[in-house]
Amino acid sequence: MRIRLVLVLATLLLAACGASVATTNEATPTDSASGMPDMGDGDGSFAFGEPGDPKMVDLTIRIDQLDPFQFTPEMVEVKAGETIRFVVSNRGATDHEFVIGDMAFQEQHESEMMEEGSGMMTSEPNAVVVAPGQSIDVFWRFTTPGTYVYGCHVSGHFAAGMKGEIKVA
């Protein structure tokens, strides 16, 4: 994420100085709130899957976020290639995140959240912030079998155990 941020800033600086910047017709997925590049591979895909098509849902899974620091259910099972509609409902009194990723992604995101000190991220294709009393749909297609994680990285939540497991067969 830092490398992309540096590249974005360098591009803006070059453009401000009058230098031409090469562009392509292929858009990089960005967070609609911040306009920053997503944390995936730049093409909308991640090592653990890709955003799902809301018109092609194979399975709906309801995830509740509870205080203190808990998801229910704590484990879900899906099949590779299925498009999953996660209905994420915050039943707690504080904001929570819902971040899908492998453990390496979760650890990287946790580290970035601690460094940035904000304790809260903006929405990405694989991650959303859910306010108390709200529900948000996340559409995801897991492309590779394995064990993945969903977690909340609001300051201290992930370390306190606010995570769940996704088994993809």
Side-chain angles (χ1 to χ4, degrees):
M1 184 169 176
R2 285 188 192 148
I3 293 172
R4 288 193 180 142
L5 179 58
V6 169
L7 290 173
V8 168
L9 293 174
T11 301
L12 292 172
L13 181 61
L14 286 172
C17 293
S20 64
V21 178
T23 60
T24 66
N25 291 331
E26 190 174 310
T28 299
T30 59
D31 167 50
S32 59
S34 71
M36 296 303 295
D38 71 25
M39 297 186 307
D41 296 330
D43 63 356
S45 67
F46 296 73
F48 44 85
E50 61 194 16
D53 182 346
K55 296 176 186 167
M56 303 293 290
V57 172
D58 296 298
L59 179 64
T60 296
I61 298 175
R62 298 185 187 287
I63 305 284
D64 287 333
Q65 300 170 311
L66 308 169
D67 294 336
F69 317 124
Q70 182 182 9
F71 284 107
T72 60
E74 293 179 357
M75 195 274 293
V76 298
E77 294 181 14
V78 301
K79 294 178 183 170
E82 288 183 325
T83 297
I84 310 301
R85 174 184 172 222
F86 290 98
V87 179
V88 185
S89 300
N90 185 342
R91 308 260 184 239
T94 62
D95 287 345
H96 289 297
E97 287 183 325
F98 178 77
V99 180
I100 299 170
D102 55 22
M103 189 51 83
F105 183 91
Q106 298 288 351
E107 290 171 353
Q108 175 188 349
H109 180 58
E110 179 75 1
S111 176
E112 289 171 353
M113 294 293 287
M114 299 294 275
E115 286 176 16
E116 292 173 11
S118 68
M120 188 64 66
M121 68 171 290
T122 55
S123 294
E124 298 287 343
N126 65 319
V128 294
V129 176
V130 186
Q134 299 295 308
S135 291
I136 295 179
D137 290 349
V138 176
F139 299 91
W140 197 258
R141 183 175 169 271
F142 292 94
T143 54
T144 307
T147 301
Y148 303 101
V149 176
Y150 50 91
C152 174
H153 295 274
V154 172
S155 184
H157 293 199
F158 194 76
M162 192 165 187
K163 53 190 145 195
E165 189 174 79
I166 305 167
K167 292 185 179 181
V168 180

